[in-house]
Amino acid sequence: MSLLGTGFLTIFSFVFLISIVVVIHELGHYWAGRVCGVHAEAFSMGFGPTIASWRDKRGTVWRIAAFPLGGYVKFLGDAGAASEPDSEKLEEIRRRMGPDAERCYHFKPIWQRAFITAAGPLANFILAISIFAALALAFGGQPYQPPVIGTVAEGSPAAEAGFQEGDRILAINNNRIDAFQDIVTEVIWRPGEMLDFSVQRGESEILLRAAPEPTVVEDQFGGSRTLGRMGFGSLSTPPLRDSYNPITAIGHGIDRTWTAISMTSRYVIRVVTGRVSPELLNGPVGIATAAGQTAVSSVEAGNNAGESTVLLLINLINLAGFLSVGLGLVNLLPIPILDGGHLVYYAYEAVARRPLSMKAQALGFRVGLVFVLGMMLVATWNDLNYLLGQIF
């Protein structure tokens, strides 16, 4: 594929993914606000100059902007991401707004404001469940390989720990293992970390301890990552593919979403506490790179234009499910400029019976901004290192 075609696909795929997950996130806030009687002054799909806009019967202005990279919802009285009004500011707002204060976000009970805030990440999780359930219903589940060891590489961490062919791994660090892919998922992001493996060998259950070996792994696009490897393989028998009905498909969607939430949250906690390398953190550049790689490989895998288009949409929608989980989790971090930070403020207000002072909120905002920018710098550094590894 030409460089121009690759660039176009990358941009299209990135915009497609970001637009879906961010707009759904903001719609979660919007619908929760409607349920609680909060007036939404505007809902924007994208940023920048307005291309088209209209006002609905509730008085909300809906707009389509020039740069389709997400969007936002603006509630009546919304003070922005930096702070929530303190008691003095609230009184001033109430006097100025008069009767309209009843439709203002800030004068709703704490539980309603918390619900509206949490509804954005919740919408992302619902989107992920819906995507994984729909794909399972349409195409069947992921290929299933039982968590049984088929091969053990000589001199590998698995061999040194005493793993044998035929061992069935039941849990890793008390996290249940149901399929061989679960083993890979638990191991790859923990290079060098000592892990406890609960193993069934014959009629007995034993405990083996081993640390995955840090291994530089090149992908099909020429980039490389340092991942954990144990040195054992799965059985050589062909994997099974499950079929689903609407009920079991939803269960599959919930299970897959929960697995992504669990793994991502545990990795982020370990990064923040300094227990694992932040090498696997990705930012916007990394998302764009993954989107472009997924798009190009999908198009090239098709035998004709129609097949390539179908593969492109399927794989991008599947990637949107994982990105939606990531966005939901990031927004729940207890950082003041994020949804999770507002939930912390509401928890304080519920206990203290008054909002946190504007001065304390402003300080929290600055600290949170520094933390988020720091993580973005680390993620962007990782993304650039990966891209440079593809070139040199």
Side-chain angles (χ1 to χ4, degrees), residues 297-308:
S297 61
S298 299
V299 169
E300 292 179 344
N303 295 317
N304 51 60
E307 189 174 318
S308 293

Side-chain angles (χ1 to χ4, degrees), residues 271-313:
V271 168
V272 172
T273 56
R275 287 183 286 172
V276 298
S277 168
E279 183 181 353
L280 299 182
L281 283 179
N282 295 119
V285 175
I287 295 171
T289 301
Q293 291 174 342
T294 300
V296 170
S297 61
S298 299
V299 169
E300 292 179 344
N303 295 317
N304 51 60
E307 189 174 318
S308 293
T309 301
V310 171
L311 287 173
L312 174 64
L313 290 176

Side-chain angles (χ1 to χ4, degrees), residues 163-231:
F163 284 92
Q164 299 178 8
E165 294 179 12
D167 285 348
R168 186 182 190 94
I169 298 179
L170 305 175
I172 300 177
N173 279 15
N174 295 320
N175 295 304
R176 193 180 74 179
I177 300 297
D178 295 315
F180 197 86
Q181 182 58 41
D182 296 339
I183 305 173
V184 178
T185 300
E186 288 289 336
V187 164
I188 59 173
W189 58 277
R190 299 157 107 165
E193 180 181 343
M194 188 61 67
L195 305 176
D196 292 331
F197 293 79
S198 298
V199 177
Q200 181 179 340
R201 181 175 294 170
E203 300 298 323
S204 303
E205 183 174 333
I206 61 175
L207 179 67
L208 298 177
R209 304 190 76 230
E213 182 180 9
T215 307
V216 177
V217 179
E218 291 191 3
D219 59 30
Q220 60 179 319
F221 305 103
S224 62
R225 306 277 191 189
T226 300
L227 305 176
R229 287 289 179 88
M230 283 296 299

Side-chain angles (χ1 to χ4, degrees), residues 80-161:
S83 65
E84 297 285 337
D86 58 14
S87 300
E88 183 178 340
K89 187 68 174 179
L90 283 172
E91 288 303 317
E92 177 190 331
I93 294 173
R94 185 180 287 277
R95 287 195 301 270
R96 186 175 70 248
M97 298 185 69
D100 282 342
E102 298 303 317
R103 300 192 300 159
C104 177
Y105 174 83
H106 297 301
F107 296 110
K108 293 298 179 179
I110 295 175
W111 72 266
Q112 290 189 4
R113 282 178 278 147
F115 169 61
I116 294 169
T117 299
L122 180 61
N124 284 126
F125 299 145
I126 292 174
L127 173 63
I129 291 170
S130 301
I131 286 174
F132 297 143
L135 292 176
L137 190 61
F139 305 105
Q142 295 294 308
Y144 172 77
Q145 194 73 270
V148 178
I149 296 175
T151 60
V152 178
E154 185 177 350
S156 66
E160 293 177 0

